[in-house]
Amino acid sequence: MYSASSTPSRTPSKAVVYKDDTKNSNIFFISRVNFNYETVRHKNKLFEDEFIDYINNTKDSLTLKKQQWQSTFSEDKGTKSQLIEQVKLAEKKQKDDLAIKEKEKRDISKLQTEISEKKYKKEMIKECINTWKNQIENVKKDIQKRRDANMAKQQALQLQLSKNEPELKRYADKLAFAMVGLRENVITFSFTCIYEKDLSRPCKFTIQLGEERHSIYKILECSPPIEHLDEILSQLNTNRNFFTFLKKMRQAFYRYAQND
């Protein structure tokens, strides 16, 4: 380390002042000072050597610090590159995470929409099922009412037939006809003993009986075709006298057979 050298010592001779009294002059003369130059040169040499050592040491220190700084800078540069790469990776991961979260949000929203739609459809189906159940119950009740009405009607018809059967048998014997039920409320009447040459030759017609008490009777088929059939049927629908109607039908068949 550089340290300032002490000021070189000097050993001056004693100064002798001479006064020139010549011509009353006031001029004084100082004798020469004698310096020790060898000592000064030696101390100067020491100073120069110490200064050069100080310069060299400073240069070495600066060089070492520069190398350390360059090494640290290189390490910092590598660390900085690693940090930049890590930041980029973190940003990419963050973007990927955001994209995944956005996709999850869309998927969740879609699922919630589908769940809401399915719930709505489920409620609609449930409501439809309840409506259908009510309709089925109403239909069952209506069917049961119709069954009860039909049963009551059949019982009434059976009761009426049981009451009319003796009279019908008497008319059947008297008017020589037979009855055949084709289906419900449809009966075929077949008359015999019409044609004198062939008593077994039948004349017949099929009539549909009304379901209600005041419904209209209809002739579905008549063989052979007789005159005034519409008039005879109209009288039946007016007076509701079925036995008179049977007599008029036999008379009409008989007239047809006479003219045949």
Side-chain angles (χ1 to χ4, degrees), residues 232-245:
I232 297 171
L233 184 61
S234 176
Q235 291 175 0
L236 171 62
N237 287 318
T238 301
N239 55 36
R240 317 295 292 181
N241 192 332
F242 198 79
F243 299 113
T244 301
F245 166 73

Side-chain angles (χ1 to χ4, degrees), residues 53-66:
D53 290 340
Y54 170 77
I55 295 298
N56 290 332
N57 291 331
T58 303
K59 285 183 179 180
D60 292 339
S61 177
L62 291 174
T63 301
L64 180 61
K65 288 182 179 180
K66 181 180 179 182

